[in-house]
Every structure is written in structure tokens, then in C-alpha cells.
Amino acid sequence: MTNLKGSVSRRTILRAGAMTGGAAMLGTLPATRLFAQEPEKPSEIIVRAWGGEWVEALKKGVSDPFTEMTGIAVRHDLTEDNEIQPKVWAAVAQNRIPPIHINWDTTTNATKSALRGVTEDLSDLSNLAETTDLAKPVGLEGYPIVNTYGYVYVLAYRPEAFPDGPPTSWKDLLDPKFKGRIALYNDGIGFHFPAQVAGGGSLEGIPDDMGPCWDFVEQMKAQEPLLGEDPDFTAWFQNDEIDAACTISTNALAAKRNGVPIEWTVPVEGCKFDTDGLWIPKGLPENELYWAKQYINFAITAQAQQTWLDGLGLPGVVPGLTPPEGLAGDPSYPTEPEDFEHLIRISSAVQVENESEWFSKFKEIMQG
Amino acid sequence: MTDVTGPEGKRRYPLRWHVMDALEGAAGVLWPRRMAPFTGWLLLAPALLLVAVLVLGMVQIAESSLHTLDRSTFLPSEDYTLENYRTVADSATYLKVIWRSLYGSFLTVVFTLILAFPYSYILVRTNSAFTRKALLVALFLPFFIGQVVRAYGWLIILGNAGLVNDALELIGVERQRLLFSFPTVVFGLVQYMLPFAVLLLAPALTAIPREVETAAGSLGANWARVLWHVVLPMARPGLIGATLVVSTLSLTDFAMPAMLGGGSQDFIANAIYDQFFRTADQGLGSALALLLVAIGSLLVGAIFAAFGAGTLAMGGRE
Amino acid sequence: MEETALTVRVHDVSMDFGSGTKAVDSARFDLETGRFLTVLGPSGSGKTTLLHMIAGFLKPTAGEITINGQPVDALPPHRRSIGMVFQKLALFPHMTAAENVAFPLKMRRWNPKGIPARVSDFLDLVKLGDYRDRRIHELSGGQQQRVAIARALVFEPELLLLDEPLAALDRKLREEMQLEFRRIQKELGVTTINVTHDQREALVVSDEIIVMDGGKIQQKATPVALYQQPANDFVAGFVGVSTFLDGSATEGGVEIQGTRCAGTHMTDIAAGTPVRGGIRAEQIRLGRSAQAVADCDTRLTGHVSDMIFEGERLLYVLNCPALPGVDIQVYYHDPDAFDLFEIGSEVHFGWRARDLRIFRAAR
């Protein structure tokens, strides 16, 4: 950035190279639109993202190649997903231009925004034709969100704390020796559904008969678990604060890649499976909306997914991706129908409607 | 200034006089002398503006606290209702969290004052310039480090693999969990509040003449009774001021419970955050926020009622 | 002198703060019960340090202090039976007048039932009976002084110490309070040590005066003796001698650059010894002619160099060719003729031999 002239000339060269290469990569885009009628390019587009491993993977797999192809710089806004939401909602309500072009969001949170009507419809993305069912949000009209990958809330554990082999059941965590050595998300997300099974209930009981879930959470409360968010889990494993956690496999993978001896498993009761997606807030100028859509369209190409999801260690929404090293057949990387047998998937609609109730119930027990 | 003409031509006045006269003249044009009675209001204007903006924000929060969240559209309800307040009143969790905030801020005040008082006393009374400087540096070095960074520091120091546990292991004590509990949160708050308390106590102690303590001694009081009957009562404005500041700051604190509480030691601010940003329920969040403002105001009001506003050494006194 | 009548004995007490010279250097004196002693000296003379050692705020680096026969150096202030009135009074602003006076009684664990009556007695003693419930800042300067006195005396201390409590008052109030101190001290018969730099106050209130300078006691005497028989030129200067003549001793006088002046040797001084003579302004006679000074033992002429009108009297400053370099100060008291002598006019002046006191020039 110190040599403005140099950077400009470098970008020009990249763009020139990208035009030909880009045509091949964005193969399904009509060539005429790309070359002749494409709207004016914004100098940059802003993508809200999660920090750490997450944004690194996105940058490498999607944003950098996108910039190379189009010449549009991508800025990553690391505002918490929960904090960007009211800002976007307020901007749309007041007819202002929203603060971001694309939100990388949990499908559950994104569904709230979709229900509120602040998302652009993405049904016309050409690459959607190539994707699996996972890309389509369940229970919503069209594509207000495009799911981009799935993930599992695994039971991550420190092998040395389980000398008799990996835990097979969530109930194994009730052993007194794990008192104060377990971590859960502070709103209990990911833990409710396996707890429902572990507490002796059935998945059909969601959302109307959640008693077994709360019984099991009560038992877990006696173990005095730590409650945190994504970055906490990696840190806690690294600092030897915990022996086991219910967390997204990516956090466990990050700790493992940082040299912490850690494994993960899907116990008999199962694990929650969920998706993340990308969406575009309403209120963008026409040309910026066009290029934001092109970004998402690119994110669901096999090429982008391969690199992006290698970084995250998660299964994508296009068939035929090569699993990252060591994750083939891993319970946190489901690809075949039988892989999904032990994974619990609840529709976003049910989650969105009941989540805050589950959340406050979980808080009530944990804050007690 | 060498070629001065006109009636003053013969005399050389200092340059400063010319500058000051010119400034006075300019000030006279911008703010004529007849406006002088309103000068006080002019100086108050920025503060009043700030308060007005705050009040506007409060009104908006009050308005949104009267709408519940519709979970099929994620929009606030059209009609006005007190439902959010009922939710808070009926919830064991929120009562627990409110009680924890009050109890935590009470403990923080007590421990902070116990630690800050001797600290300020030595700071004020020491004859050694070195001791005074050392105390000031030790006080203000952490002051310039933000709350979050400091809390993070405690995570490292008090962690299972941290410095304190290393030391415990050296003397043969088993490693133990020092983090993520209510005492840890209070500990973090006390450490954070100490400089505020010392800053408020030191001037109050400086105002107590050394001779008064000497006199109390010669009249038959040992040091404990000098402290109890003379120093503490005379330091009252500082003690009240420190109590006010420390109690309101810790009552509304977010970072320490969030970072040192391990997720299960929420204060009211954490509950508000959850409603605004985790469940997107602005109505309930607003209700909680207003409640926090009310509790804080009641606390300050109670202290003023009990000890009088004059305790802050404000207002005229001969 | 009976042993029982002795309250304070200061025995070769020294204080060395380690700054080179000693703040107090081998001070030694006794004080009998019921007497009013004033320690008089300029600032830095060590008088306050001496007082603080007696009070127990400082521990002497050498020597011993006894009160009623008991060595007190090991006792902290609150274990000594000493009442003290401080320079800035050091009253408790958060208490009323009565609470201030009751404070030492509570601290010294008097029977609580007896406290209110005794507080009233002592407030009456200082004429503050009607002000008992006033806060300190609601009292005038003089009233605050009296609260401080009552507080220092109410618990029957063996000794009362006054640390220049009148220094900050205006002159009229100061003179009034001097008499008040005297009255109360006599009424209660409490042994008192007062510290001041005001020689007039010392002369007015004291039974005995100690003059200190440079950490050393220069003289201990009654006010009259001090005034008439100062032990050296420093004491003389501090009790009002304003004109000094440096020269060498002669039989019955002093010779200054060839001029012989009649005077009285205060000690046995051999002729030729360097000496210093001192004379008070009111003891020099002044006149337009030689007759006016006919009965003086020393008669000289000079010129008026300055005249200062002080109201009840005039102060003339004279220059005399026979005494070069000396400003001779003369009080002139004549209600009819303030401007008797013009500046520059020639005058005759002189003194009697007994009034020019001649000291060995030690300093």
C-alpha cells in the first residue's frame, strides 16, 4: 500500500489476466453479461465474516480469487454476527444503504432476517443448479439465503482425559472427574437436541416436549461447565482449562492444527447438524447488488468451495469435493446418506421460533 | 510593530497588549457585552446538548420496551404492552441476575474501599517522593490498559496453566480452578475500580490536615481510634464519592462478568446484550436497560438521601 | 525547691535530624508545677522541635525528659497526660464545639455519665456555654481558639503545651487572647509551656522565659530579669535592643573607632577584648542643644537621617560622624511636637553608662 503506482499497475495486470481466466471459472455466466452489459464495478464490496480461521479460509477460497477475477476488492467486516443484525435491520427500516454487501451468517439467524424481509432473493444465481439440497434453506420461499456448507456440533475431547477410549455417550461427561472441565456454548446452542435424547426424550418432542432436554441440562449444570463462544473453545483447550466441549468441529480442528492433542466424536445420542449461508441485505444500489450476487454465485462453485472448506474442514454444497486431509470418513465431515444417520437436523423455522425460549431456559438453569 | 502611527504613535506598548485587545474586540463582535448575563448558559450549552441527546435515546428505549417481538416476522408488535416488564418480573433468571449485579457491586465497593483507603492514605501522607511516585505509577499503569485487556491478562495469570497455579504447584498445592466464578468477577472488578477509588479518596485525605491527626493523638486516641473518630469521618466526601462511582460502574459492568465469569455469572448488562444481539429481542432488552437505569438511579438517590448531596463537597460552604 | 513541685525536667536533650547542625542542642531546664514558661526564639531556633519532643511527637536523639519524675521518652503521645493547643488549632470540623471538648474525655475513657457536665464546665470557663452545639466553621476565630483551649485542658493534663496558637490572629485579638490564656492558666494552675516568636507575648504572659537560638538555650529568666539583664547580645536584640556598637572594651565602656562610649560591662571583660554594646531606643536622650543631654555619661552630636511616625511616639534614625556606619535608633515621645527635628538637622544625643550594656563579642 505504500507504493500507490505499483499497486495500481499490479491490479491492472491481474484484471487483464482475470478476464480470460474468469470467463472459464464463471463458466455458467452468460459471456455477454460479463463482458458487454455488466454494471459498473464498485471499488470494493464488504463481506461480514467470522474472525480467525474462518475469515482466513474465506479470503483464500473465495474473496482473493473473486478480486483476481473481477478487480473488485473485498473487505471483511469482522463485526459479530449478532451485532451486525440490528444494524442491518435498522438500515433497511430507515431506507439507508446497509453497512455490508454480504452477510456470512448462521442459517438460523439468517432465517430471522429473511422472515423480517430484509434479504434479497438469490434464486437467479446460475450456479445454484449445480448444488445439492443442502444449499436450499428449509421452510423458506425461494432462496433468501444460500447455504454454503454444513457443520456438526461434535463432542470434542482431550484423549488423555479419556484413557479408556473416546466417550461414546454424552452421559459420559457426567463423571465427577469432569467437574468444571466441560465447555458449552453460552446459549446452549448445539447441545439442546442431543441433550433431549440423552435425557431420555425423542426428537419428535421438539419443540413441544423438551422436559428430558432440561433434565439433562440440569444434570450437566451440576458439573459446573464453562460457557463461551467460538474463540473461547480453542483457547480453553489450548490453556488446559477443559477436557471436553460441545462445539463446532471447526474450532476443534483449529485447536488440533495449533498442536493441541484433541479428538472429536459423535456419541450415540447424536450431534446437531446445521448450516451456514450467505445473504444480501436489501437497499443496495443496483450495480453493487449485481456484484454481491456474483460473489455468492462464485462461492458456490466447486473451485471456491474446495479451497474455502479445506480451511474450515467442513462439507460443502456441491458434489464431488475432495475431503481435506484426514477428514475423509470423519464424523464431522458427513457426505454420504449413512453419515447423516447420527446427526440431528431440525428445521430453521422451528429453531427460529423457539430458539430464544430455549436460550432463556438454558440461561435460567445455568445462571441459577 | 515599529511603524506605529496615530495617537499612540509615540509610545511602544507590549505586543501582548495589542494581541489581547484585538482578541477582546473580536470576542465583543461575536458575543456582545450585553449578552454577558447569558455567558453561563453558553458555556453550559454543550453539556445540555449532550444530556438532551441522552434523554432522547432514553425516550426511544422506553418506547421500544413497550413492544414485544413477533417471532413470525421478527418485527416489534404494533400495540403497546407491558408484557416485557412482566417477563422480567416473572423470570427467576433475571431476578437472580439483578440480585447478582447488586450483590457484586456491593462487594466490589467494600473490597475496593478497604484496599483503596490505605493506598490513598500512604500516597497522601508519605514523606518520600519516591514512594509517592512508585504508588502513582503502580496505580495508573493498569489504568491506561483497557478493561478487556486487563481481564484477558487475568485469564492468563489465573488460568489452569497460569502463573498463579505454577506457583501453587511449586509449593505443593494442587492446581485448581481460579477462574470463572463469582469471586473471580468481583476480584476483577475490584482491581479495575481501585484507581477510580484512589483518585476520589486522595483529595479528600489531602484535605485533612496532618495536625488534626497529631492533635487527636495528643488528646488520647491511639491510631485505630484516630482512624475511626477523625480520619474516616473527615474523609467522608471522598468515601461517598468513591462509593457512588464504584457502585454504579460495577453495577453496569459488562466485560468482567463476560470474561471472568465463564458464562454463568452474568450481570444485568450481559443480559441486555443477550436480548439485543443474541435473541434480537430489542423490546425485552430495552425493558432490562430501563430497569438498570432505574436501579442505578435509585442507588445514587438512596446514597444522596442517606448522606446528603453536600457529602461530595459540592455546593457552597464557608 | 521541693522535688514534688517539679513537673518537667528536660535533661541535656538533643535532636539531630541529620542535616549537619542539631535542631536542639543539649537543652536543659526544669519547670516547677503551676508555672507558665514561654520558649521564645526566631523561626528555626529549635523551639517547636523542643515542644514536640515534650509532647511525644518526636523522640530525642539524646538526653531524657521526665514529667512528674517519670521518664516519658518511651510513651507515645496518647499515653502522656499532655494537653496541646496547635498552631492551626486542629479542631475536628465534623464535630460540634461540645463534641470537640468531649473527645479527649471519651478517648481517655472517663466515666460517660460525668462527661456532659465537665464539658459544660469547661465551655463556661472559656465563655462558650451558649455555643456548645455550633459546628467549628460556625464559630469566629477567637471562639475557635477558646474551644481548642477547653479541649486541651478538659482532661486535667499534667502539662499544657501551646504551639504558637496566637500567631495567625490579628493584633487586637492576639492581645486579648494572651490575657485570656493567662487568666485560665492561673485559674486552673496548670503547668504550661508556650512557644512563640513574639517577645511582647512572652513578656506579657510568662512566669519564666527561655530564649532559644540555633538550637541552644541562650537564657532562662523571669520577664523582668530578661529585659534588664539579657545574657548576651542575641537575647538583648530579641527583647528590644535596637542599636548595637561594635568595638573593643575599655575601663567602664567601649571604644569605637576612637570614640569612647560609657557603658556597663555585663560580665568581667578585660580591656581590649572585642565587645558589642547594645542600647534601647527609648534609653537614648535627644535634644536640640547640649543642655538637653547634660546629665548623660556619653554625649554626641549627629544628623537626623530618617523619621518614622508610629502614632504614640516618633522613631528617629541618627547618623553620627563619631560612630561611622551605625544607625542610631531613638524613640522620642513628646505629644506636642512630633516634627521637632527636621530630617538633616543637627541634634545632640547621649545616654547613661548603665543603659549601654556591653557583651563579649562571641558571635
Side-chain angles (χ1 to χ4, degrees):
Chain A
M1 294 303 282
T2 48
N3 186 342
L4 188 64
K5 202 174 164 195
S7 89
V8 166
S9 62
R10 186 170 58 94
R11 179 177 293 177
T12 320
I13 293 163
L14 283 176
R15 191 184 297 171
M19 284 312 159
T20 43
M25 280 184 236
L26 300 170
T28 50
L29 277 178
T32 48
R33 281 181 70 184
L34 191 64
F35 289 112
Q37 293 167 0
E38 65 186 22
E40 189 198 340
K41 288 175 180 174
S43 63
E44 65 168 13
I45 62 171
I46 304 167
V47 180
R48 194 221 68 89
W50 289 288
E53 315 290 330
W54 298 81
V55 70
E56 288 309 316
L58 180 75
K59 183 165 151 37
K60 195 170 162 214
V62 187
S63 302
D64 284 353
F66 179 77
T67 303
E68 239 174 83
M69 281 183 293
T70 61
I72 300 171
V74 177
R75 183 144 63 86
H76 298 105
D77 179 339
L78 299 186
T79 310
E80 271 286 309
D81 54 348
N82 298 315
E83 290 172 16
I84 203 75
Q85 178 177 284
K87 290 185 189 173
V88 172
W89 289 9
V92 174
Q94 294 161 15
N95 284 321
R96 285 189 280 116
I97 295 177
I100 53 170
H101 293 91
I102 292 159
N103 195 8
W104 182 12
D105 209 352
T106 65
T107 301
T108 310
N109 260 341
T111 302
K112 292 180 193 171
S113 295
L115 286 173
R116 201 179 158 109
V118 302
T119 60
E120 290 282 359
D121 182 56
L122 303 173
S123 307
D124 59 348
L125 293 190
S126 53
N127 289 344
L128 279 175
E130 313 293 324
T131 58
T132 63
D133 284 349
L134 209 56
K136 170 95 177 77
V138 182
L140 290 171
E141 199 73 14
Y143 281 90
I145 314 154
V146 172
N147 292 335
T148 48
Y149 55 83
Y151 55 91
V152 180
Y153 289 88
V154 294
L155 168 53
Y157 63 96
R158 185 192 302 281
E160 62 192 58
F162 292 85
D164 304 334
T168 54
S169 163
W170 289 99
K171 292 175 197 162
D172 291 354
L173 299 185
L174 299 179
D175 187 325
K177 74 173 178 176
F178 297 123
K179 191 163 186 174
R181 304 286 301 172
I182 302 162
L184 303 174
Y185 282 98
N186 52 15
D187 46 9
I189 197 163
F191 187 65
H192 298 127
F193 308 148
Q196 169 79 358
V197 181
S202 75
L203 294 176
E204 284 72 49
I206 300 171
D208 297 325
D209 176 24
M210 298 274 283
C213 164
W214 305 127
D215 288 346
F216 193 71
V217 172
E218 292 271 10
Q219 292 178 54
M220 190 56 78
K221 159 70 182 168
Q223 291 287 72
E224 296 175 8
L226 299 190
L227 305 175
E229 297 181 32
D230 282 321
D232 294 325
F233 293 96
T234 312
W236 286 341
F237 271 122
Q238 269 168 0
N239 298 338
D240 191 24
E241 299 287 351
I242 53 173
D243 290 328
C246 171
T247 183
I248 295 174
S249 59
T250 307
N251 298 318
L253 185 65
K256 190 174 187 174
R257 283 175 177 169
N258 287 345
V260 181
I262 186 179
E263 296 295 338
W264 50 87
T265 183
V266 174
V268 289
E269 295 90 350
C271 280
K272 183 188 176 190
F273 177 86
D274 213 334
T275 49
D276 283 348
L278 299 173
W279 57 274
I280 300 172
K282 282 188 176 160
L284 289 175
E286 198 67 35
N287 65 322
E288 295 181 23
L289 171 63
Y290 172 85
W291 289 105
K293 280 184 172 179
Q294 294 313 314
Y295 182 92
I296 296 180
N297 202 27
F298 175 62
I300 51 177
T301 59
Q303 177 226 355
Q305 289 248 306
Q306 184 68 57
T307 317
W308 180 17
L309 301 179
D310 269 357
L312 298 180
L314 296 174
V317 293
V318 288
L321 296 177
T322 314
E325 199 188 332
L327 285 183
D330 190 279
S332 71
Y333 196 88
T335 46
E336 303 305 318
E338 59 266 27
D339 295 339
F340 283 91
E341 261 170 40
H342 282 301
L343 298 180
I344 306 168
R345 206 174 167 201
I346 303 290
S347 88
S348 290
V350 172
Q351 292 198 48
V352 160
E353 197 161 326
N354 297 285
E355 195 186 57
S356 62
E357 201 177 304
W358 298 338
F359 171 38
S360 47
K361 181 77 187 166
F362 183 84
K363 277 260 160 177
E364 188 180 316
I365 294 169
M366 286 302 172
Q367 294 290 327
Chain B
M1 300 306 294
T2 47
D3 262 354
V4 183
T5 50
E8 295 173 3
K10 294 288 188 304
R11 299 202 181 92
R12 292 280 198 83
Y13 294 107
L15 174 62
R16 202 148 54 92
W17 293 9
H18 291 283
V19 174
M20 294 311 288
D21 286 350
L23 285 177
E24 285 247 332
V29 172
L30 290 173
W31 189 253
R33 190 152 288 275
R34 66 196 145 77
M35 301 289 277
F38 305 104
T39 304
W41 289 104
L42 180 74
L43 296 175
L44 262 181
L48 289 176
L49 197 71
L50 203 66
V51 170
V53 170
L54 270 176
V55 168
L56 271 179
M58 291 291 297
V59 168
Q60 216 160 43
I61 287 181
E63 206 272 341
S64 82
S65 80
L66 297 174
H67 299 286
T68 52
L69 180 70
D70 181 344
R71 283 193 216 293
S72 56
T73 59
F74 272 85
L75 289 167
S77 64
E78 290 282 311
D79 41 329
Y80 290 87
T81 164
L82 287 173
E83 189 58 35
N84 287 324
Y85 293 95
R86 208 165 297 130
T87 307
V88 176
D90 289 347
S91 151
T93 315
Y94 289 132
L95 296 185
K96 182 113 201 166
V97 165
I98 290 169
W99 167 246
R100 180 185 293 129
S101 312
L102 283 168
Y103 186 53
S105 98
F106 168 75
L107 289 181
T108 305
V109 167
V110 170
F111 288 118
T112 306
L113 289 186
I114 288 176
L115 291 173
F117 190 86
Y119 200 105
S120 327
Y121 189 84
I122 295 170
L123 187 70
V124 165
R125 284 288 189 250
T126 181
N127 286 321
S128 148
F130 176 79
T131 308
R132 180 170 296 122
K133 270 181 204 146
L135 287 174
L136 280 172
V137 168
L139 187 70
F140 282 105
L141 219 55
F143 200 59
F144 295 128
I145 304 169
Q147 200 192 171
V148 172
V149 178
R150 259 196 280 173
Y152 197 77
W154 288 123
L155 287 180
I156 294 167
I157 292 168
L158 297 177
N160 273 21
L163 218 62
V164 176
N165 267 317
D166 286 350
L168 283 179
E169 199 170 46
L170 273 183
I171 58 167
V173 180
E174 210 175 302
R175 280 179 188 270
Q176 46 195 289
R177 158 87 9 105
L178 301 168
L179 286 172
F180 312 128
S181 65
F182 183 65
T184 320
V185 175
V186 173
F187 172 84
L189 281 172
V190 168
Q191 199 264 346
Y192 173 52
M193 296 298 166
L194 200 62
F196 293 101
V198 171
L199 270 182
L200 286 154
L201 275 175
L205 288 174
T206 310
I208 303 175
R210 210 181 277 244
E211 215 179 28
V212 170
E213 288 173 51
T214 313
S218 84
L219 292 168
N222 58 24
W223 72 266
R225 305 182 100 201
V226 173
L227 181 70
W228 183 252
H229 291 283
V230 177
V231 181
L232 284 177
M234 287 182 76
R236 207 169 82 152
L239 289 169
I240 305 281
T243 300
L244 275 176
V245 169
V246 173
S247 62
T248 45
L249 281 183
S250 27
L251 182 70
T252 56
D253 197 61
F254 174 83
M256 290 296 169
M259 297 182 72
L260 298 181
S264 58
Q265 303 297 333
D266 283 2
F267 276 27
I268 305 177
N270 307 86
I272 294 171
Y273 177 91
D274 282 346
Q275 287 312 324
F276 271 106
F277 298 113
R278 213 182 294 283
T279 54
D281 192 342
Q282 297 201 8
L284 190 53
S286 299
L288 283 168
L290 272 193
L291 217 64
L292 177 56
V293 171
I295 292 172
S297 311
L298 275 176
L299 194 76
V300 173
I303 292 173
F304 275 150
F307 302 104
T311 48
L312 286 184
M314 290 187 291
R317 209 228 253 185
E318 293 275 308
Chain C
M1 183 188 316
E2 287 173 34
E3 190 65 30
T4 49
L6 193 67
T7 297
V8 182
R9 162 165 279 179
V10 173
H11 197 84
D12 288 341
V13 165
S14 295
M15 185 70 215
D16 189 350
F17 290 118
S19 60
T21 54
K22 290 176 181 169
V24 172
D25 191 355
S26 304
R28 162 184 274 199
F29 67 87
D30 294 337
L31 183 61
E32 290 162 49
T33 301
R35 304 277 280 175
F36 194 127
L37 171 75
T38 293
V39 181
L40 177 65
S43 60
S45 62
K47 59 185 192 303
T48 302
T49 305
L50 179 62
L51 194 78
H52 282 188
M53 287 191 286
I54 296 170
F57 307 142
L58 293 171
K59 208 176 161 68
T61 46
E64 186 184 64
I65 297 168
T66 63
I67 297 176
N68 284 341
Q70 294 291 318
V72 293
D73 294 324
L75 291 181
H78 67 272
R79 305 278 299 279
R80 300 184 186 195
S81 181
I82 295 175
M84 184 150 170
V85 182
F86 289 82
Q87 191 162 15
K88 287 170 191 149
L89 301 184
L91 293 169
F92 305 130
H94 57 293
M95 300 182 189
T96 63
E99 284 167 346
N100 265 279
V101 177
F103 183 83
L105 300 179
K106 281 188 194 146
M107 293 303 116
R108 288 168 190 271
R109 303 186 194 283
W110 282 46
N111 183 352
K113 282 181 204 151
I115 291 179
R118 188 163 177 90
V119 168
S120 292
D121 284 352
F122 272 77
L123 284 173
D124 287 341
L125 177 76
V126 295
K127 296 183 200 148
L128 282 176
D130 298 336
Y131 297 88
R132 50 175 304 128
D133 294 327
R134 294 267 184 102
R135 296 241 163 206
I136 297 307
H137 66 267
E138 295 166 335
L139 297 173
S140 74
Q143 289 167 336
Q144 292 182 4
Q145 289 278 344
R146 277 138 62 191
V147 174
I149 298 165
R151 189 180 67 170
L153 289 171
V154 69
F155 60 98
E156 284 181 340
E158 291 168 346
L159 180 63
L160 174 66
L161 302 180
L162 306 173
D163 185 8
E164 301 201 56
L166 304 179
L169 299 183
D170 62 65
R171 186 172 151 193
K172 188 166 172 298
L173 191 55
R174 188 164 67 233
E175 288 175 359
E176 189 184 309
M177 289 304 300
Q178 285 167 2
L179 297 175
E180 195 76 357
F181 272 132
R182 184 79 187 145
R183 173 183 72 77
I184 293 167
Q185 194 267 335
K186 287 291 163 230
E187 195 171 326
L188 299 176
V190 60
T191 314
T192 302
I193 301 178
N194 175 41
V195 158
T196 186
H197 62 267
D198 179 350
Q199 56 103 0
R200 207 186 133 75
E201 176 186 319
L203 296 175
V204 167
V205 301
S206 316
D207 297 321
E208 287 173 80
I209 297 172
I210 284 177
V211 178
M212 282 189 81
D213 185 46
K216 289 197 170 78
I217 292 181
Q218 303 293 325
Q219 188 172 10
K220 176 168 180 276
T222 63
V224 175
L226 194 76
Y227 195 83
Q228 292 183 340
Q229 304 286 321
N232 56 38
D233 59 327
F234 174 80
V235 176
F238 215 74
V239 294
V241 173
S242 53
T243 301
F244 287 97
L245 305 170
D246 294 316
S248 56
T250 60
E251 191 68 32
V254 56
E255 186 185 306
I256 301 123
Q257 302 203 3
T259 305
R260 283 171 153 265
C261 295
T264 307
H265 290 190
M266 300 306 287
T267 49
D268 219 9
I269 302 172
T273 313
V275 290
R276 167 167 253 220
I279 187 164
R280 295 177 189 281
E282 67 267 31
Q283 286 167 336
I284 298 176
R285 312 289 169 83
L286 187 62
R288 201 174 289 282
S289 65
Q291 285 100 310
V293 294
D295 56 346
C296 290
D297 299 317
T298 301
R299 292 179 293 274
L300 295 162
T301 56
H303 294 91
V304 175
S305 71
D306 202 358
M307 184 193 78
I308 296 150
F309 176 55
E310 291 186 355
E312 75 272 26
R313 66 192 178 194
L314 282 164
L315 171 65
Y316 285 106
V317 181
L318 310 180
N319 285 338
C320 171
L323 301 170
V326 182
D327 283 336
I328 298 142
Q329 298 190 12
V330 183
Y331 283 139
Y332 190 76
H333 177 78
D334 182 344
D336 298 325
F338 282 133
D339 57 350
L340 197 57
F341 309 109
E342 298 291 328
I343 289 179
S345 63
E346 194 186 69
V347 289
H348 294 262
F349 68 96
W351 60 79
R352 295 190 179 172
R354 63 153 202 251
D355 292 332
L356 180 68
R357 295 177 174 83
I358 296 166
F359 309 98
R360 218 179 277 276
R363 322 162 143 268

